[in-house]
Amino acid sequence: MRRLIALTGAFLLAAAPLRAQSIEDQVSTFQLENGMDVVVIEDHRAPAAVHMVWYRAGSADEQPGVSGVAHFLEHLLFKGTEKLEPGEFSEIVKANGGTDNAFTSFDYTAYFQRVAADRLGLMMEMEADRMKNIQLDGEDILTERDVIIEERNQRVENDPGSLFREQRMAAQYLNHAYGRPIIGWRHEMVTLDLDDALAFYRQFYSPNNAVLVVAGDVQPDEVLALAQEHYGPIPRNDDLPERARPSEPPQMGERRITFSDPRVAQPYVIRSYLAPERDPGDQRKAAALTLLAEVLGGSQTSVMPQTLQFEEQRSVYSSAFYNGLALDDTTFGVVNVPAEGVSLEEAEADMDRVIAAFIEDGVDEAQLERIKFQMRASQVYALDSSNSLARRYGAALTSGLTIDDVHAWPDILQSITSDEIIAAAKDVFDRDKAVTGFLRSAEEVTQ
Amino acid sequence: MTFMTKLFAPIAAAVMLATPLRAEIDIVEVESPGGINAWLVEEHSIPFVALELRFKGGASLDLPGKRGATNLMVGLLEEGAADMDSRAFAEAAESLAASFSFDVGDDAVSVSAKFLTENQDEALALLRDALTQPRFDQDAIDRVRAQVVSGVRSDQQDPDFLVGQAFDAKVFGDHPYGSAIEGTEDSVTALTRDDLVAAYKGALARDRVYVGAAGAVSPEDLALMLDKLLGDLPAGGLPQAPDVAVATEAGVTVVPFDVPQSVAIFGHEGLARDDPDFFPAFVLNEILGGGGFEARLMEEVREKRGLTYGVYSYLVPKDNAALYLGRVSSANDRIADAIDVIREEWRKMAENGVTAEELESAKTYLTGAYPLRFDGNGRIANILVGMQMDDLPVDYVNTRNDKVAAITLDDIQRVAARVLKPDALHFVVVGQPVGLDMPSQ
């Protein structure tokens, strides 16, 4: 058990006038003897708290052939335990004035409740119960499988943009599980059964594979005491496998996809490049890529929109995007939505021309300073939502990072130079590591 | 990207019932020297201010033949003001790390601002320029118009958009509520700069502005800010849109569209926000189709039968009409079953009301959840402005839970019979539904 000492004397730019209380001052961390991590974020402005349990297990931890089982299991955790009837968990939360839900991503599955702060113990009691004791009925399983298939219909099958994204991700990752959709491939979802769900549950749901995050009107010592009472007795799983997923083979050439669908009204070109993620103790490259995305496409005044939308009026929308929060290699992307009369081939050439000129010309220092100031300000604005802060810590700790990495990140971003951004651009924009996709309407193809 | 167990319920226009618990929130009424009113929650622990402005009227003020004018006008407020072109304006906002967002709905133009205490004077001056001296440069008009047209075209391929559009058109016809606020490709293409200036003058005026603020600012400072920010706006604008009656008949309208999952909106007339029965109706709806798994629709359609990922119902008290709506989506070969179940639940609750246990559980939830809403400056400012637009008294925050607690089973049964109209419950379905090809209505 340890309490992290808040970092002091953190690096500050001379030009940084922002002197808010820092996020770190509000954060305490502990570890229970069974290995469960605990993060407490204090925010005493409202008598509320969010209670979250994050598992270091997401869709990318699934075995081949059962895609979607991590998300399916997430649904099944609401279907009862030895103590609670199906649906009773949410009923109790609601009867206490709270709301609850859960979500699944590539690298984590998380469960949360928002309640009055004095109901925290009850939430922990129930969440601890379903960490080990779910009791599932075969009928419930089949009904809930229908529900996730309707969820897939709603989110993916009804939307050509989502189908296109699935295809691009599958092309990007030949070997790594990021190439499989989180919700699962439909043909595998329809075969998921109780054994599949329980196998995933038994393998990954244990205190030493979980992170408890509590944010709101709470005292760290009280949260720790409650956590010891409710989660402390759960034995650790000593057979927890190491989180080593199959890695990508060297990519030998660009991959290209044209996806056509009569439901597409606005064609666009999008390209993603395999890129490094934030690693523990090693976040500089990811920070440079984060800034690169901002400089290229983060706002109206960034390079791609300025050139393509404002100066040339050849695009309706253009952007760059990167999310460094992932356990394994992630992607850096650029997208260009052409103006009427500009073909996708031309839109692709436009995009490449602007990026090449950017690498040649370098970073506009005034723009970079504006971006860095906005990032400093975002640390102030972030204090307004303890719920978002809770998610920040939960996602980081289940994506391979430590508390120190989370706290170091803002200063690393501030310290990145223009040269590092250009170097990151030269590294990442390698067509041999890219997937280029055209989304177009079916009519256009038949012409 | 994440996938959740349940989709959050759509936020209905004015489910503003839920506001704070007594004592936790101290709302100060502020009046500026120039006569502009605002509500403020002062909170100094974080050095920034959240400011919410609403101009009552919104896209419903579009003049005949100018559909989409207010929407395009609002999109141009951040595209150049005073001596700044769009790039200069954007750079100025970025340099201050201030965030301004401009939005429009059927009944209001919304401005959400967030700015740091350390440069609040500069941030407010910039926002004032956007609100009082927008430029509407022709190149910006052309650029933003192209984005709107692109969005309008995409909407025509989006079943979620199409179903709302079809329902509104059926219910509201020629009233502005009956068409999309973005306009059509033709109407947007035909808009001139003069049209946008007219829409601007019609929509942004002092006689229709509501202000909510939360954060590190004193009432005295806020009062001065209000005059600087809004004092130069014209006193009045266009007259508000007329009221429109809602008349539906039981039945199904199918809009054929090639998607695997059908999307449906259902509903009929609802209740005005100031109707004395609105409170019990709100509680009633919580039990029928509110956000939780325990609501009857969710229980019957999803939990028991697996027919959908989400089904919800919600009261929609707009300024000029009141609706009671619901939403569901199911695979084309299952939507007919989902509709049957929803019809049956609608009728059952209209005839038999709710159980005492359901009412108690809904009341416990609604009163317990109430104080949890006030958990951030942005959210608080939003709630404050919404309360004013709903014409609620400032002490509403102290009486609201008592009003919920006072609702009796008799109230609910009476309101269920009044509000739920199975014989008027109409479904609009977009998709290739199987087993619904009955004649419309």
Side-chain angles (χ1 to χ4, degrees):
Chain A
M1 190 190 325
R2 74 195 172 93
R3 177 165 183 163
L4 196 85
I5 308 299
L7 299 171
T8 49
F11 170 81
L12 271 179
L13 280 193
L18 286 171
R19 267 176 220 96
Q21 81 231 57
S22 74
I23 291 167
E24 291 132 66
D25 294 341
Q26 296 174 224
V27 176
S28 311
T29 61
F30 309 94
Q31 192 174 63
L32 304 185
E33 280 173 25
N34 60 15
M36 187 167 185
D37 289 316
V38 182
V39 179
V40 183
I41 303 163
E42 290 178 72
D43 177 358
H44 299 289
R45 294 176 300 157
V50 60
H51 167 252
M52 316 183 95
V53 170
W54 296 67
Y55 292 97
R56 292 182 175 95
S59 67
D61 297 295
E62 294 162 347
Q63 293 298 312
V66 291
S67 63
V69 75
H71 171 252
F72 186 34
L73 176 65
E74 175 223 296
H75 278 236
L76 297 178
L77 252 73
F78 293 83
K79 293 296 180 184
T81 67
E82 290 156 19
K83 289 182 192 162
L84 294 179
E85 293 291 307
E88 199 178 349
F89 189 109
S90 296
E91 277 171 34
I92 293 173
V93 174
K94 206 161 183 194
N96 283 277
T99 51
D100 69 326
N101 212 330
F103 47 90
T104 306
S105 192
F106 287 120
D107 295 320
Y108 51 75
T109 309
Y111 301 82
F112 68 91
Q113 303 87 37
R114 252 189 106 251
V115 288
D118 61 3
R119 315 295 159 94
L120 192 56
L122 176 62
M123 299 303 115
M124 286 196 191
E125 183 186 346
M126 293 197 298
E127 197 63 79
D129 177 38
R130 70 176 171 181
M131 186 183 289
K132 284 293 172 194
N133 303 322
I134 57 169
Q135 200 168 54
L136 298 173
D137 172 84
E139 283 294 304
D140 262 356
I141 285 265
L142 294 181
T143 309
E144 201 60 24
R145 197 172 69 191
D146 287 341
V147 170
I148 59 169
I149 288 165
E150 290 293 355
E151 183 177 355
R152 186 184 156 85
N153 283 340
Q154 186 169 335
R155 294 182 185 275
V156 184
E157 307 285 352
N158 262 26
D159 176 16
S162 297
L163 290 167
F164 178 45
R165 181 176 190 279
E166 278 189 348
Q167 297 295 308
R168 291 188 292 108
M169 287 293 279
Q172 188 91 54
Y173 294 98
L174 295 185
N175 203 37
H176 190 283
Y178 290 163
R180 299 193 300 248
I182 297 163
I183 199 163
W185 295 118
R186 186 188 179 96
H187 70 284
E188 293 183 349
M189 291 170 73
V190 298
T191 71
L192 291 174
D193 63 21
L194 187 57
D195 289 345
D196 297 328
L198 289 178
F200 193 86
Y201 181 63
R202 292 189 184 116
Q203 185 167 19
F204 292 112
Y205 281 50
S206 59
N208 50 322
N209 200 35
V211 182
L212 168 67
V213 186
V214 176
D217 189 16
V218 294
Q219 297 297 333
D221 292 350
E222 291 168 17
V223 173
L224 176 61
L226 285 171
Q228 281 168 330
E229 177 187 348
H230 296 292
Y231 295 106
I234 306 172
R236 58 184 292 124
N237 173 11
D238 289 319
D239 299 326
L240 195 63
E242 194 193 337
R243 263 185 125 182
R245 285 93 167 249
S247 58
E248 283 300 294
Q251 185 172 341
M252 309 300 282
E254 183 187 2
R255 299 166 194 155
R256 297 185 71 90
I257 292 177
T258 297
F259 188 89
S260 307
D261 189 303
R263 293 172 289 169
V264 173
Q266 175 64 69
Y268 60 84
V269 54
I270 185 166
R271 188 187 295 140
S272 52
Y273 301 85
L274 213 56
E277 78 286 4
R278 288 167 64 185
D279 280 325
D282 180 12
Q283 303 186 88
R284 265 199 103 71
K285 271 188 191 153
L289 289 169
T290 301
L291 282 161
L292 174 65
E294 288 296 318
V295 170
L296 274 181
S299 78
Q300 278 205 8
T301 66
S302 60
V303 172
M304 290 173 67
Q306 266 307 313
T307 312
L308 294 171
Q309 293 164 229
F310 287 73
E311 288 164 24
E312 302 179 358
Q313 310 230 346
R314 285 176 63 79
S315 300
V316 173
Y317 173 82
S318 54
S319 190
F321 50 92
Y322 169 75
N323 178 7
L325 205 54
L327 190 65
D328 300 312
D329 277 357
T330 182
T331 59
F332 188 100
V334 284
V335 60
N336 190 16
V337 183
E340 196 155 3
V342 177
S343 70
L344 286 179
E345 289 77 8
E346 290 169 322
E348 185 183 8
D350 283 347
M351 199 164 77
D352 288 336
R353 168 173 55 83
V354 171
I355 291 169
F358 164 75
I359 290 175
E360 184 67 29
D361 297 345
V363 177
D364 173 354
E365 293 296 335
Q367 185 203 3
L368 182 58
E369 182 43 42
R370 288 199 302 274
I371 291 168
K372 287 185 176 179
F373 182 67
Q374 288 180 288
M375 286 176 162
R376 292 198 293 276
S378 75
Q379 292 289 99
V380 174
Y381 294 134
L383 294 168
D384 199 36
S385 172
S386 53
N387 198 39
S388 306
L389 284 178
R391 282 183 172 238
R392 180 188 295 186
Y393 283 87
L397 296 191
T398 49
S399 300
L401 298 176
T402 66
I403 290 278
D404 288 346
D405 294 317
V406 178
H407 289 168
W409 179 245
D411 289 338
I412 294 173
L413 287 169
Q414 291 295 324
S415 72
I416 296 294
T417 64
S418 307
D419 288 348
E420 285 176 283
I421 294 171
I422 295 297
K426 286 178 177 166
D427 262 359
V428 81
F429 290 131
D430 175 354
R431 286 284 280 270
D432 284 345
K433 289 183 180 166
V435 175
T436 306
F438 283 7
L439 180 68
R440 59 189 359 153
S441 69
E443 289 86 348
E444 202 174 341
V445 170
T446 57
Q447 279 170 2
Chain B
M1 169 179 287
T2 58
F3 289 88
M4 307 196 72
T5 292
K6 66 191 170 198
L7 206 63
F8 285 111
I11 297 155
V15 186
M16 186 44 72
L17 260 194
T19 331
L21 184 78
R22 65 207 70 197
E24 293 293 340
I25 289 293
D26 186 14
I27 302 173
V28 179
E29 289 181 275
V30 175
E31 185 176 348
S32 76
I36 296 167
N37 295 302
W39 289 7
L40 165 68
V41 170
E42 198 176 349
E43 215 291 323
H44 287 273
S45 69
I46 310 173
F48 83 99
V49 178
L51 190 65
E52 288 286 335
L53 311 177
R54 298 281 186 282
F55 294 90
K56 187 180 165 76
S60 295
L61 299 180
D62 278 346
L63 294 168
K66 306 295 181 190
R67 194 56 169 155
T70 308
N71 178 64
L72 182 55
M73 176 275 288
V74 169
L76 285 157
L77 291 177
E78 58 184 331
E79 293 285 345
D83 58 352
M84 292 167 283
D85 64 10
S86 62
R87 178 176 183 141
F89 182 87
E91 284 184 359
E94 288 171 12
S95 302
L96 298 167
S99 103
F100 307 133
S101 73
F102 304 87
D103 202 4
V104 61
D106 278 332
D107 291 333
V109 172
S110 311
V111 181
S112 305
K114 219 166 54 169
F115 47 86
L116 300 169
T117 309
E118 68 174 54
N119 58 27
Q120 67 180 27
D121 291 345
E122 295 98 313
L124 279 164
L126 194 60
L127 182 58
R128 179 200 58 214
D129 287 347
L131 294 175
T132 61
Q133 300 181 67
R135 284 165 47 137
F136 301 115
D137 290 336
Q138 192 61 47
D139 63 335
I141 294 174
D142 293 341
R143 181 164 34 76
V144 178
R145 187 205 318 265
Q147 289 175 328
V148 171
V149 167
S150 168
V152 166
R153 286 182 191 157
S154 295
D155 287 343
Q156 297 310 311
Q157 303 295 328
D158 175 1
D160 293 321
F161 176 88
L162 290 173
V163 72
Q165 195 42 56
F167 193 95
D168 288 345
K170 184 168 187 59
V171 171
F172 295 119
D174 291 337
H175 189 279
Y177 287 168
S179 59
I181 62 174
E182 294 81 8
T184 63
E185 192 169 337
D186 287 346
S187 76
V188 176
T189 304
L191 292 171
T192 65
R193 184 177 187 280
D194 287 347
D195 294 331
L196 299 174
V197 172
Y200 163 72
K201 289 184 174 158
L204 270 62
R206 288 204 309 275
D207 67 346
R208 60 199 60 203
V209 69
Y210 296 82
V211 184
V217 63
S218 69
E220 297 74 25
D221 287 348
L222 178 63
L224 297 176
M225 282 179 187
L226 293 173
D227 281 346
K228 281 187 204 159
L229 187 63
L230 304 167
D232 289 345
L233 285 175
L238 282 168
Q240 300 289 339
D243 287 351
V244 53
V246 173
T248 53
E249 292 171 40
V252 179
T253 302
V254 174
V255 180
F257 192 69
D258 190 10
V259 278
Q261 187 188 58
S262 292
V263 183
I265 285 187
F266 47 94
H268 52 54
E269 185 185 11
L271 279 187
R273 181 62 186 82
D274 58 2
D275 190 293
D277 282 340
F278 192 84
F279 249 100
F282 181 77
V283 176
L284 174 81
N285 180 63
E286 183 64 30
I287 299 165
L288 177 62
F293 289 121
E294 309 71 30
R296 285 195 190 178
L297 292 180
M298 199 70 153
E299 175 69 23
E300 295 297 326
V301 183
R302 170 171 158 163
E303 296 299 291
K304 283 193 185 158
R305 296 176 178 84
L307 290 170
T308 189
Y309 174 51
V311 54
Y312 307 99
S313 61
Y314 38 96
L315 290 158
V316 187
K318 293 153 111 63
D319 282 354
N320 303 122
L323 290 170
Y324 192 174
L325 295 181
R327 212 175 166 106
V328 68
S329 35
S330 302
N332 285 330
D333 60 353
R334 310 174 85 210
I335 187 76
D337 292 343
I339 286 175
D340 282 345
V341 175
I342 292 165
R343 273 199 188 114
E344 178 59 21
E345 291 305 313
W346 212 269
R347 184 172 295 283
K348 259 170 41 190
M349 195 172 274
E351 288 171 1
N352 308 324
V354 308
T355 66
E357 194 189 357
E358 284 174 320
L359 175 59
E360 276 322 300
S361 148
K363 281 157 75 168
T364 314
Y365 167 66
L366 290 171
T367 53
Y370 189 54
L372 307 187
R373 305 221 159 199
F374 289 72
D375 69 336
N377 293 341
R379 280 173 60 116
I380 291 172
N382 227 325
I383 291 168
L384 296 187
V385 80
M387 285 171 63
Q388 294 171 79
M389 292 198 81
D390 286 343
D391 210 16
L392 298 172
V394 73
D395 72 344
Y396 175 79
V397 295
N398 297 320
T399 61
R400 182 269 192 189
N401 266 0
D402 295 337
K403 286 181 184 157
V404 173
I407 292 167
T408 66
L409 200 55
D410 284 348
D411 293 333
I412 293 279
Q413 317 301 51
R414 177 179 55 77
V415 170
R418 177 189 164 198
V419 172
L420 294 165
K421 301 180 168 97
D423 295 335
L425 185 62
H426 195 86
F427 290 77
V428 172
V429 182
V430 170
Q432 303 284 348
V434 178
L436 286 181
D437 38 8
M438 59 195 78
S440 139
Q441 295 206 351

